[in-house]
Structures are given as C-alpha cells and as structure tokens.
Amino acid sequence: MFQDIGEMLILFWRTLQALPQLWRQRLKMFDQLFEIGNASLLMACILSLFIGGVLALQTGPVMVERGLSGLIGGIVGLSVCKELAPVMMAVLIAGRIGSAMAAEIGSMRVYQEIDALKTMNINPIHYLVLPRVVAISLALPMLVIFAIMVGWMGGALVSVFNNDISISFASYFNNLRSVVELGDVLNGLIKSFIFAMTIGIVCCHQGLCTIGGPRGIGRSVTKAVVNSIVMILILDYVVTRVLLYFDL
Amino acid sequence: MSQASQNQHPSVSVEVKGLRKSFGSVEVLHGIDLNIKAREVFVIMGPSGSGKSVLLKHLIGLETPNSGDVLIDGHSIQAEDMLERYRLAMVFQSGGLLNSLTVAENVGLYLTEHRLMPQKDIDRLVTEKLEALGLKGQENRMPEALSGGMKKRVAIARALVIDPQVILYDEPTSELDPLIAVTIGQEIKRLNQENDVTSIVVTHDRDLAFGIADRIALMYDGKVLEVGTPKELQQSKNEQVQKFLNASFKF
C-alpha cells in the first residue's frame, strides 16, 4: 500500500512537471474532455436531480412539521453544492471514466504499446497521463456546476409538488439565495478539482502498473475504482477541514 | 547513390558485458557477454524460456540489469539521453501498434511526437515506407483490421521511419504461416543490406536464423552456449547446441 502511495505521488509530481508539454498534447486532451462530457453529462444530470429530490423528500416533511419550511431551500442548496454534488459526481466519474482510463492504459501496457512508446523516446506520462489528468480535472468541476444546478431543481420540484411539503418555488429559491453564497459553490468546485486529480492519478497509475493478461487488466480496473472511491471519501473529510479553516 | 549511404545515422556496435538479471529469486540471465558488430544481422536463438526476449529488452533499455551493462557504440544504455543520442528501434512480437491510431499515424508517430518534420513530409515518408513493405493503400486502416503478417510489417515500417542505427526484432515470424515468415525474413535481410543498420533478431525459428544471420548466438537457460556463423554453429561439438539444431518431428 505504501509503495502504491509513493508511486502515485511520484506520478503526480512528474505529471505536474509535464504541464509545460500540455499545448503539444492539447488535441488528446480535448478528445478526453469530449469523451468525459459525452459519457457522463446525462448520467450526472439524472443522478443529481434525484439526489436533490430525495434530500428535499427526507428533510422537507420534518422541517414543515416543526414550522421551518422556509429553510428547506437553504438546506438542500448547501448540502448539494458543498457535499453531495462533488462527492457523488466524483464517485460517478471514478466508476465511469476512471475505470475506462485504467482499462485502456492497462491494455496498452499488457500489449506492449507502452514499451513501444518508450523505445520511440515518447514519454508515456506526457503522451498518456498528462492529457487524461488535465481533462478530468477540468471536466469534473464543470460537471459539478451542472450537478449543483440540477440538484437544486430536483429539490425545488419535490418541495413544491410533494403534498407533505408544498412550498412555493419563490420561497424555496429565496431561502436558497439567502443561505448559499458564492464561497459555498467555490468550496464544492475546489473539492471536485482535488477529487478529479486524485481519480486521474490513481487510475493512470493502476493502468501503468498492470501485469498479466486480461485478468490483470480486470484486476487493475477494480483496484483503480475502489482505491479512487476510498481516496475520495478520505480526502473529502481532509479537504472539508482545511476549507473550514479558511472559512469556505 | 545507394540507400545505405543515404542513412544520416550510421549503424553502431552493441556490446553486452556480464549481464545478469533476476526476477524475484529466479535468475533469468546468468552473466551474458556478446559483441555485435555494426551492420551485421545477429540472431539470438534458443528454446522458449531461455531468456532471449529479456536480453532483447535490456538491449534497448526497457529492463534494468542487476549487474553488467549494455554498451551502444561504447556508451551505456542506462544513460538518460541514450534514446536521444542514438536511434534504436524495436519490432515487438505482438507488433506493439497503438490500437487507437491508424496505420499511418502509427508509422509516423515518432516523427509527429518529436516534430522532426512538417506533417506533409511525414505523410510522404510514411507512404514511402509502407509502399516499400508492400502495404500501399493501408494508411487509414486500424491495426485490429490487419492480419498478423501485416501488423509485423507495419511495425517494421514504424521502426524504419526512425531511421534507426540498430533494429531489434522480437520473434518476427512467430504466429505467421511459413510463406509470410519467409517474406518477413527477406524483408529483414533486404532492409539490413539497403540501410546502414545493425539488426538483432531474437527467434526460435531455426530456418529464419540460418536464412538471414551473419552470426548466431545460441542461448540456453539464461547463458550463451555458442556464438558463430551459421556454418560454425552447425559444426559445433556442444551437445545442447546440436540437440536444439537437430530437433525434428521425425520419430
């Protein structure tokens, strides 16, 4: 485990060092960006719509019962933008995109494509890791912005049309506007950026470490997704503490 | 002017000195010493599991030895800038083609990534190399749509585009029918004669080895048993060498 962490830190550092090469790899980066958006946007919208909805459904009736119906918008708004959207989107992307990254790089490793790159003096970190890590680091915060807005809408729809809550759109969004500040959205975006880099590095690292045949690729994919999710949840706590320290 | 003299990067010698390699507790190479002259076709032959492919990976720096060294033109392959200073190419057993790229993109990859010439010139050179290997019109096909023999030839074209000083071939005729295997053997010999290049071929195919080699090294169990011309090897008194060379399906 400690060897894996060490290797991932080295990979992260080398990827940062490779950033000046990004302009040369921009086409691959845009390909990846399109792939991530195309594969995940619809899923992200559906997921966040229902997350917002279920949050309103769980909290709404209890709040109404205690005469606090005016706070539903704020509770849903804050929970979605600071916690649920970044974490759930990161988990979705780890499963949907991280697994594909680990599988693709893993099969390239098994079928000697990465060795071929090395013999051509093409650095696999520049060619494979950099465009993927940058693309996922840009795509996830963008997806989170969508997810936040759709999540808020999901909460609003349930708050308005559920008989046990039945508040107006105006009441929901007025409260949401008065509670949620730009800093709260920024909090979610900072988290998602950190989660995205983690997913990119963990999954590319697993791909590059793949050994064996198809079974090895399968093992790498499973490990990449599980490790990413564990890292996301651990980092969620750590980053939240750090951001609270900075009053975000 | 012959093509060989047009090569901007002259062939170089390769020297292997006391190379040892272990994976875990298993030693795979037990102190290999070889001296491969510039511009020769040197075949490393031996039964499966004798360490040929591991040795080949050391020759291009894909593996790091536990002790010993590989010297290209007198310089250690472990030096950081070796692949910048010398042009080495390898044709992998499976071809090693990037499945996400077309044939033309695969062949031109080295030039595109290192920006060695304008795209127009890269396209022209790629077409030229593919034509030379009988792959005219295959530029836009994906590797998965090619036969085994075509993949090997694309891999050779990709190696040639580098304008290499040393080409390493890993089992170039494995998984190929005898007719295609002969064609590949002819290509290796022709390319060696037409280009100023040192060719190192790893194979267990005796027909290929004796058909193309200037010299052959026979490996067994991680050691080099014998090095010599095909004729010298056939006259060897070594029992293992004779056993390998005379193995036959006649019962």
Side-chain angles (χ1 to χ4, degrees), chain A residues 95-106:
Chain A
R96 181 72 185 78
I97 304 298
S99 59
M101 275 185 191
E104 191 182 359
I105 297 178

Side-chain angles (χ1 to χ4, degrees), chain B residues 80 123 170:
Chain B
E80 279 218 345
D123 293 341
D170 189 8

Side-chain angles (χ1 to χ4, degrees), chain B residues 129-136 138 150 153 187:
Chain B
K129 297 292 179 194
L130 286 173
E131 268 183 40
L133 284 152
L135 291 164
K136 193 178 174 186
Q138 305 296 327
M150 286 165 102
R153 280 184 284 157
E187 290 298 340

